Amino acid sequence: MSYEADDRGFFGNFGGRFMPEALVAALDELTVAWEEAMADPEFTGAFEAILRDYANTPSPLYHAERLSEKVGVRILLKREDLNHTGAHKIRNVLGQAMLTKRMGKTRVIAETGAGQHGVASATAAAYFGLDCTVYMGAVDTRRQALNVARMQLLGAKVIPVESGSATLKDAINEALRDWVASVDHTAYLFGTAAGPHPFPSMVRDFCRGIGDEARQQSLDQYGVLPDAIAACVGGGSNAIGLFTAFLDDEDVKIYGFEAGGDGVETGRHAATIGAGESGVLHGARTYVLQDEDGQTIESHSISAGLDYPGVGPQHSHLSQVGRAAYLSVTDAEAMDALALLARTEGIIPAVESAHALAGALRVAEELKAEKGPDATILVNLSGRGDKDMETAVEWFGLGAEDEGTDK
Amino acid sequence: MVRPRCRGRGDGQVSAAIAFEKARTENRSALVGYLPAGFPDIDGSIEAMRTMVAAGCDVIEIGLPYSDPVMDGPTIQAAAQQALEGGIRITDVLRTVEAVAAAGVPTLVMTYWNPVERYGVDRFAADLASAGGAGLITPDITPDYGQDWIAAADAHDLDKVFLVSPSSTDERIAMTTAASRGFVYATAVMGVTGARTSTSDLAGPLVARTKATSDLPVGVGLGVSNGDQAAEIAAFADGVIVGSAFVRTLLDAGTDRAAGLAALGALTEDLAGGVRRG
């Protein structure tokens, strides 16, 4: 079956373009520019070159041996945390910023939750000499102060958004409002594979190198494809970037792990596919956390990057048709996985990525029972944990002197 | 040709086109006033809208407060947020429609799409018609993505007010007016709602381009806050749409309801005078 969107941007029932008329011309312009760029070898060649020379891709596919031993199956980590700026996000923003230059626009705006996309956008803007404004929920500016400083150092203006729940969804609303008023010279570097057509497909295309590389590396390094692949899903850009290369490999199981927060049963979570309903949010029909009146319900997650009540429409479609399974991971499970990876491999992942790892560890148990120690699960380590140290300090009570007698 | 519709559903449901036609026969533009339902509270919003009708509004737009209003500026969002915090539900919005429509003016609901979809598109259309509502203004649905709504509105004889923008191509304007009923909403500026100190020079050409495709009345909105601006727009548009400035009078009055209503009435009279000067 086809997993592509149709020409109106629908993946099955999901996607589309539910947007003010004022933005339709800009979305049409973007659609044409993106399609032409992707068909232009000069553009795609330049994109590959900048990813290689500046963003440090292909990122390695790393066999986490000590973790694998502990778990009993082979665990491969796609090390997107080693990319420039520390996450997969750089792929998307470099692509969109290149497109912005190609379209002759001089300013970019972006929204950010954890700050990863904001930092990546500020970086790309600096690289290409574009003005940059980043909208960030006021709550998030407080919990991600270091990233705010990084964006400012890179020359971006960071605007805290106080409206609504003052988190990522409100930052998106504010960026859209800016865009309505500035669309003649401004591009909106959308941070995830959500939003109105063409963003879900375009962001996926700029991120799909994650999966293309991982698939080839798996074959080159191990001679086989993994039995399962796993990624975290907030809006879902790293996940769709990984999944795309494997969609036609029917023997490869695909898992997306949403933020279960305190537990889906508590109502305090961001498990949009698991616990949401079909609706329209930020320009697309997709699963949305909403009440009986269609009002968006605030999401909750220890990870600001996953704290989003919507999800990219292609994920909704992949869930509906059963090609990918979307499960949730609680804050506690994610933080346990974060600590486990830190102590077995010396890698501190982003809390987002720790969700993928925690979910993968659960899947690993099933795979071990089914296929034994030769089973392989490939996990996208989408980002590094530097930005989340404050969260880790608070969660684990770190920073005080150890009380032991190990002198 | 505009075909004003005045078929009753027991509650005086009428098309907005009736009010535009009446204004046209008086050789003036119509004044369209917006307030969110439930602001400052449900009964307060009904009283405020009735004040607007009494002071000269020809059509009332009732905002359905929504958690993610991408086209609204800070003034309307603050009011909608207050309504949501007050616990407003869709059934309360429909009750507000019923009360305002009973005051004798065409009453439309301006709503983002998700609440309608969640409520059930056909159910919403049926309940709106039963309440005497004239139709919907849909800021985040364009006709090419609004087939469900178009079908439901046609089935229930409701107005479909879609928006055109300065950035719309002529082709899209033609597509939009062909799908609209009641009137067409021309957004005068590239931007979100909010009172502005001067009107836009984008409005006139947009209205002309819109009128070139259709006989439907064209209302101009986004930014109008006083009688002089209303007169300026009334010179070329069939209707002048005002929202944030009305909301602002009530926000500024705070808990002093009487002062808020007095300011609202005075502003309405100023704007009603403006549409008669234009």
Side-chain angles (χ1 to χ4, degrees):
Chain A
M1 71 177 291
S2 168
Y3 297 106
E4 288 295 318
D6 65 21
D7 58 5
R8 300 171 71 237
F10 281 102
F11 301 90
N13 300 324
F14 300 103
R17 186 187 281 176
F18 298 87
M19 275 274 112
E21 172 65 22
L23 288 174
V24 169
L27 291 165
D28 280 344
E29 180 193 17
L30 181 64
T31 304
V32 170
W34 160 64
E35 287 172 349
E36 286 179 358
M38 297 310 275
D40 179 355
E42 199 173 317
F43 181 89
T44 53
F47 182 50
E48 279 171 26
I50 188 178
L51 284 180
R52 181 190 64 229
D53 300 337
Y54 181 71
N56 198 33
T57 72
S59 62
L61 186 67
Y62 165 71
H63 179 198
E65 287 189 54
R66 288 211 333 120
L67 180 64
S68 298
E69 261 174 45
K70 212 172 176 62
V71 177
V73 302
R74 182 159 60 190
I75 297 190
L76 304 177
L77 302 178
K78 179 63 175 163
R79 296 292 308 275
E80 290 291 293
D81 59 314
L82 296 178
N83 295 350
H84 180 49
T85 70
H88 72 286
K89 298 280 186 189
I90 193 72
R91 297 177 186 261
N92 174 35
V93 294
L94 287 174
Q96 290 198 53
M98 270 185 69
L99 198 54
T100 302
K101 287 288 273 189
R102 184 178 163 104
M103 293 167 72
K105 302 199 176 197
T106 56
R107 175 176 179 257
V108 294
I109 52 174
E111 85 294 337
T112 195
Q116 277 182 321
H117 176 60
V119 168
S121 297
T123 300
Y127 181 92
F128 285 106
L130 299 162
D131 286 339
C132 180
T133 299
V134 179
Y135 291 93
M136 188 168 186
V139 169
D140 294 332
T141 59
R142 290 190 281 276
R143 58 182 173 179
Q144 298 289 347
L146 184 60
N147 270 342
V148 173
R150 289 167 78 193
M151 287 181 260
Q152 290 168 333
L153 194 58
L154 289 159
K157 184 175 176 188
V158 181
I159 300 184
V161 176
E162 300 281 358
S163 59
S165 54
T167 56
L168 178 59
K169 83 173 177 68
D170 306 288
I172 292 176
N173 290 332
E174 207 59 43
L176 284 168
R177 291 181 182 129
D178 181 320
W179 202 29
V180 173
S182 64
V183 71
D184 56 330
H185 64 287
T186 296
Y188 183 2
L189 302 193
F190 209 76
T192 191
H197 177 64
F199 284 112
S201 298
M202 183 177 75
V203 172
R204 176 204 59 204
D205 282 1
F206 288 138
C207 291
R208 66 172 294 160
I210 303 168
D212 290 340
E213 291 168 17
R215 188 177 185 283
Q216 193 58 49
Q217 288 164 325
S218 187
L219 290 172
D220 291 348
Q221 293 172 216
Y222 305 100
V224 290
L225 292 178
D227 297 291
I229 60 173
C232 63
V233 179
S237 63
N238 92 84
I240 206 68
L242 176 68
F243 295 174
T244 298
F246 295 92
L247 288 176
D248 294 329
D249 297 319
E250 289 176 8
D251 292 339
V252 178
K253 291 182 179 171
I254 298 178
Y255 292 93
F257 291 101
E258 301 190 297
D262 294 345
V264 173
E265 70 287 352
T266 68
R268 286 177 54 83
H269 61 83
T272 309
I273 293 176
E277 302 277 353
S278 176
V280 169
L281 178 66
H282 295 144
R285 179 173 293 123
T286 188
Y287 287 112
V288 180
L289 297 180
Q290 56 184 308
D291 69 13
E292 287 173 358
D293 271 3
Q295 307 288 351
T296 311
I297 294 173
E298 284 177 37
S299 54
H300 291 275
S301 169
I302 193 170
S303 164
L306 301 181
D307 198 351
Y308 180 54
V311 64
Q314 191 172 3
H315 289 296
S316 296
H317 180 236
L318 291 174
S319 172
Q320 192 179 52
V321 300
R323 179 61 190 100
Y326 294 84
L327 307 169
S328 66
V329 163
T330 63
D331 291 350
E333 289 175 287
M335 295 309 283
D336 284 351
L338 184 147
L340 180 64
L341 188 65
R343 290 168 191 186
T344 53
E345 298 290 341
I347 298 169
I348 299 174
V351 177
E352 289 94 325
S353 316
H355 283 73
L357 186 65
L361 295 177
R362 213 192 290 155
V363 170
E365 290 298 321
E366 294 167 22
L367 276 180
K368 185 168 65 177
E370 194 184 321
K371 297 197 169 182
D374 290 337
T376 301
I377 181 161
L378 189 159
V379 184
N380 193 29
L381 211 65
S382 55
R384 69 178 184 227
D386 306 33
K387 69 180 177 59
D388 292 324
M389 282 313 296
E390 205 170 308
T391 302
V393 165
E394 195 179 324
W395 181 269
F396 295 112
L398 307 174
E401 278 184 38
D402 286 340
E403 289 176 1
T405 53
D406 185 18
K407 293 180 179 169
Chain B
M1 270 302 289
V2 180
R3 293 188 185 82
R5 168 177 51 84
C6 192
R7 52 172 293 195
R9 285 184 179 268
D11 296 291
Q13 178 200 359
V14 292
S15 167
I18 299 267
F20 281 91
E21 179 63 18
K22 177 171 175 285
R24 196 182 64 77
T25 59
E26 294 172 8
N27 197 28
R28 65 175 177 88
S29 286
L31 177 61
V32 182
Y34 167 96
L35 274 188
F39 167 73
D41 52 45
I42 293 165
D43 290 340
S45 69
I46 292 171
E47 197 178 355
M49 290 184 222
R50 284 179 166 160
T51 298
M52 289 158 68
V53 173
C57 275
D58 301 292
V59 176
I60 295 290
E61 280 181 25
I62 298 180
L64 191 156
Y66 176 52
S67 52
D68 294 276
V70 294
M71 277 297 283
D72 287 328
T75 304
I76 288 178
Q77 188 177 14
Q81 186 70 29
Q82 187 176 325
L84 288 170
E85 284 165 8
I88 189 154
R89 303 291 309 273
I90 287 178
T91 48
D92 299 317
V93 177
L94 293 168
R95 183 155 68 82
T96 306
V97 169
E98 194 164 20
V100 177
V105 294
T107 303
L108 297 98
V109 171
M110 183 158 197
T111 181
Y112 293 92
W113 186 242
N114 198 48
V116 178
E117 187 161 296
R118 182 74 173 143
Y119 190 86
V121 180
D122 197 64
R123 179 182 166 216
F124 192 98
D127 288 356
L128 179 64
S130 293
L136 288 189
I137 302 166
T138 49
D140 63 345
I141 285 277
T142 52
D144 40 345
Y145 287 88
Q147 293 308 313
D148 291 353
W149 161 237
I150 289 169
D154 290 347
H156 294 279
D157 208 14
L158 291 166
D159 286 348
K160 301 161 288 183
V161 179
F162 292 107
L163 280 63
V164 292
S165 155
S167 61
S168 303
T169 60
D170 289 343
E171 188 185 10
R172 286 196 62 81
I173 289 175
M175 182 270 290
T176 303
T177 56
S180 297
R181 193 164 71 179
F183 69 102
V184 182
Y185 192 129
T187 53
V189 292
M190 290 300 288
V192 297
T193 61
R196 290 173 171 79
T197 51
S198 61
T199 51
S200 160
D201 57 3
L202 300 174
L206 176 59
V207 170
R209 288 202 293 141
T210 306
K211 288 179 109 34
T213 68
S214 164
D215 289 334
L216 276 176
V218 180
V220 170
L222 296 185
V224 177
S225 61
N226 59 49
D228 290 341
Q229 288 177 335
E232 217 177 296
I233 287 176
F236 58 82
D238 303 302
V240 178
I241 305 167
V242 180
S244 297
F246 285 133
V247 173
R248 174 53 59 198
T249 60
L250 298 184
L251 282 173
D252 287 349
T255 54
D256 188 344
R257 294 289 170 89
L261 291 176
L264 190 69
L267 176 62
T268 308
E269 285 170 10
D270 179 33
L271 291 161
V275 298
R276 284 165 175 79
R277 287 199 302 278

